[in-house]
Amino acid sequence: MMKRKNCGALLLLLLFLLTGCGAEGGAGTDTEGDASASAAGAEASGSDVTLEDVTVESTAPAESDGAAAEETPEDAAAESAAEASAAAAEVTLEDVKITALAHAGVEAASASFTEARLHRDGTAYEVEFTTADGQYEYELSADSGEILSYQWEVQGQNVNTGTAPDSLDSAKALALSHAGVEADAASFEKEKLDDGVYELEFTTANGEYEYEISRETGVILEYEWDVQGSAAADAASGGADSTGQTVNAAVTASQAESIALEAAGLAEGDTKYLHSYVEWRHDAPYAWCVEFGVRDTEYVYLIDLEDGTILEQYVESH
């Protein structure tokens, strides 16, 4: 009986040695080898322990305490909502084209885009388009779609208004309506009837407008606009100028006008017109521009917004 057990133990030991050698040439047999060795040892010692009685422990590494917790459904939903919000906030080229057209009051079908692209620094879109009567240029923020700056050069002729003006006031109303300018935002520098044609010139905070209108038919014989501005100018707040524009400035429009008149040696009562507005340069408020006329002479003064210094002045006689 003892001899049979010894033979069995030797066979198990031989099996263990063969299995161990196979593990060195293959993968994943270490735990089986340990189990066989345990069984062999038990058999050799005379214990009635079988291979099934040996517990094999897993050698897979346990997850460390510092590992990140699994993402919950709530976390996934929040992340998805954040990504959707970011995508919705992105300003596209089509968005800024629509914004520019709406600001210019131009129908999409009437516009031909000559340039529409993201600037190489990625901060702004540059949009240019033409219509039958002019050219429009815009720069808009790539982050918000806000209009940073714009410029219009428009001219045309023979526009039928359908109304024959019987006075200067009615002719002025026709010109303002065609230009899309409110009466209180315009300052007329020229308004006269010459040989059956009303000749009108007026300015706003952002540009200059010229019109010739037939008294007999109300047809706009010729018109020309030269307009430029920015969203900053349109949305600025603070002291108001005589055209209705508002700015943040230590010097008011009235003070700027007084400074310019004093420099010219004139009083307001001497002028045939007097108006002021903020001149913008490089998308920032530069100075009060004060313009007035006395007989055949025109005066233009640029007054510093903060200390009232005269920065530039022009006098032109006709």
Side-chain angles (χ1 to χ4, degrees), residues 1 21 28 48 62 72 100 105 144 146 156 158 238 302:
M1 186 69 177
C21 292
D48 295 330
T72 66
S144 64
E146 178 186 31
N158 298 328
L302 296 183

Side-chain angles (χ1 to χ4, degrees), residues 187-189 203 242 253-277 288-303 310 312-318:
S187 178
F188 279 84
E189 300 179 354
T203 62
S242 64
S254 178
Q255 290 172 334
E257 291 171 359
S258 296
I259 292 170
L261 288 169
E262 183 178 356
L266 298 168
E268 184 174 352
D270 299 327
T271 65
K272 61 182 181 181
Y273 65 86
L274 169 65
H275 62 267
S276 57
Y277 58 90
W288 286 111
C289 181
V290 180
E291 300 179 354
F292 51 91
V294 177
R295 292 183 292 278
D296 295 328
T297 303
E298 296 181 356
Y299 298 79
V300 178
Y301 285 82
L302 296 183
I303 310 295
I310 297 175
E312 302 174 36
Q313 64 185 61
Y314 309 94
V315 179
E316 183 177 356
S317 298
H318 300 288

